[in-house]
Amino acid sequence: FEAIAKAETFEVSDEDYEAEIEKAALEMKKEASELKKTYTKDAITPYIQIQKAYALVKDSAVNLNDPAVKAQKAAEKEVKETK
């Protein structure tokens, strides 16, 4: 995922940073302001970029066993064979 994150050069907005800090604060049962002292935006940016890379792969994944996907692949193959 690191390679994808580097290749895609995902932008990390202030909102992305704030959301990640809030999520971590809830998980760690700490105040977000306390975490911001340790985890700056620059420090957490690579982690957020990797999370975005993971989401990209997950959202792009195709279940090849899905009947609709199988039907689409068969139709594409048939079109290629008739050309």
Side-chain angles (χ1 to χ4, degrees):
F1 294 112
E2 288 178 28
I4 295 169
K6 282 185 180 181
E8 292 294 325
T9 59
F10 293 109
E11 294 290 323
V12 175
S13 67
D14 290 341
E15 292 81 19
D16 294 330
Y17 169 70
E18 293 292 334
E20 194 59 44
I21 289 293
E22 290 295 330
K23 182 176 132 187
L26 285 173
E27 290 173 4
M28 299 169 76
K29 296 182 171 119
K30 294 189 175 194
E31 292 294 322
S33 59
E34 187 179 334
L35 292 180
K36 286 181 182 180
K37 293 175 186 174
T38 304
Y39 301 105
T40 64
K41 183 177 175 185
D42 288 340
I44 213 166
T45 290
Y47 174 78
I48 296 171
Q49 289 171 322
I50 290 170
Q51 295 304 312
K52 288 184 175 200
Y54 173 78
L56 174 69
V57 170
K58 181 181 167 202
D59 293 345
S60 301
V62 175
N63 179 353
L64 298 177
N65 293 319
D66 183 323
V69 173
K70 284 183 177 182
Q72 181 181 359
K73 293 291 182 190
E76 289 171 0
K77 184 178 179 183
E78 189 176 314
V79 169
K80 285 182 183 177
E81 289 174 355
T82 59
K83 286 186 177 181

